[in-house]
Amino acid sequence: MPRTSEFPNSDNLAALVRYYRFHSRIYDASRWLFLFGRSRLIQMLPTYCQPNHILEVGCGTGKNLLHLHRIFPNASLAGLDLSPAMLDRARTKMARQDHVPEFIQQAYDRPIAPDVPYDLLVFSYTLSMFNASWRQAIGSAYADLRPGGAVAVVDFHDSPVAVFKKWMACNHVHMQGHLLPELRSGFHTRFCEIYPAYGGLWTYFRFIGEKVERPFSDVGSLISKTAGKT
């Protein structure tokens, strides 16, 4: 698994905010072309959990929050995103729903709800964009979940084409096969599959894991990642 130093640049939060200032306007119309498996992941969730308190990290324009609300109509929802432009669109999309989500604008590099843990955390094509802080995000998810809570992830996995990987990195996406090993080491795997896209140009995965009790030393090691101690 690659170490953080193998990625060429650390997270540039200002660059991401600028990137999505434009892309928020075309996100829903264009991302169906390559962000595969999002709806299917959410459709699968009732088999694995019945959450009352849900957080989506990297909620974007609110497409998944709307889907989550329809599947879990009585659950309280929260959406976290770095981009104010994306959150504005999410607020508009969710404004007429029975339960309007809590929206949080910040990076996800530390736990945000240690006193009120979530039952379900969702990452949809988010972790692969966390260039230098993806380990902290996974550790934060562990800290923010109640025991027995679920984490659900759909994301890019890898590509055999080096030029394509470099092009994706220019768009803030890193696909080095690095996410699944960390997720599987941090959570008990309930579901995990890898799928090809466009004839194998890249692969993506769906993962559902459960937070289980761990020896104290293991928990300390995982949570320390939220402080960047990797």
Side-chain angles (χ1 to χ4, degrees):
M1 181 171 27
R3 304 301 297 179
T4 303
S5 60
E6 291 184 37
F7 294 141
N9 300 300
S10 62
D11 287 337
N12 188 333
L13 303 185
L16 283 172
V17 170
R18 290 194 300 270
Y19 180 86
Y20 280 111
R21 188 177 300 141
F22 167 76
H23 282 270
S24 64
R25 291 174 281 179
I26 62 171
Y27 193 90
D28 289 339
S30 61
R31 265 35 182 196
W32 65 271
L33 289 166
F34 51 91
L35 300 187
F36 302 126
R38 296 178 294 170
S39 294
R40 180 59 186 145
L41 178 74
I42 295 172
Q43 290 166 358
M44 294 169 59
L45 288 174
T47 301
Y48 298 93
C49 60
Q50 289 295 322
N52 294 314
H53 195 32
I54 303 171
L55 171 67
E56 183 184 10
V57 178
C59 66
T61 63
K63 175 183 173 67
N64 293 332
L65 288 174
L66 187 61
H67 199 174
L68 285 163
H69 175 62
R70 290 169 177 167
I71 290 181
F72 303 113
N74 297 317
S76 67
L77 298 175
L80 181 149
D81 204 282
L82 182 68
S83 166
M86 297 287 266
L87 286 176
D88 284 346
R89 293 189 175 264
R91 288 188 185 96
T92 300
K93 190 171 293 182
M94 297 297 297
R96 296 183 180 180
Q97 304 307 311
D98 296 333
H99 301 289
V100 177
E102 174 190 6
F103 290 106
I104 306 163
Q105 183 188 336
Q106 67 174 73
Y108 192 60
D109 54 1
R110 64 185 66 86
I112 64 170
D115 298 324
V116 186
Y118 292 97
D119 304 305
L120 170 65
L121 261 74
V122 178
F123 293 91
S124 174
Y125 289 94
T126 301
L127 287 171
S128 59
M129 300 194 75
F130 289 179
N131 183 12
S133 60
W134 54 275
R135 282 194 178 90
Q136 290 98 301
I138 293 172
S140 295
Y142 185 91
D144 278 334
L145 279 172
R146 66 165 177 82
V151 61
V153 185
V154 57
D155 214 325
F156 295 107
H157 181 56
D158 207 346
S159 172
V161 183
V163 172
F164 178 73
K165 285 188 185 182
K166 290 181 180 178
W167 181 80
M168 290 296 284
C170 291
N171 288 277
H172 306 283
V173 173
H174 300 277
M175 47 172 65
Q176 307 284 351
H178 57 293
L179 298 175
L180 267 182
E182 194 81 1
L183 288 165
R184 299 191 73 167
S185 71
F187 299 91
H188 172 65
T189 300
R190 300 289 307 281
F191 178 90
C192 182
E193 286 192 2
I194 299 172
Y195 308 90
Y198 288 107
L201 178 60
W202 76 83
T203 54
Y204 68 97
F205 69 89
R206 291 200 300 264
F207 174 88
I208 299 174
E210 179 184 356
K211 177 177 176 176
V212 297
E213 295 297 331
R214 291 170 163 268
F216 180 79
S217 60
D218 289 349
V219 173
S221 176
L222 187 65
I223 300 305
S224 71
K225 295 168 185 175
T226 67
K229 300 174 183 176
T230 54

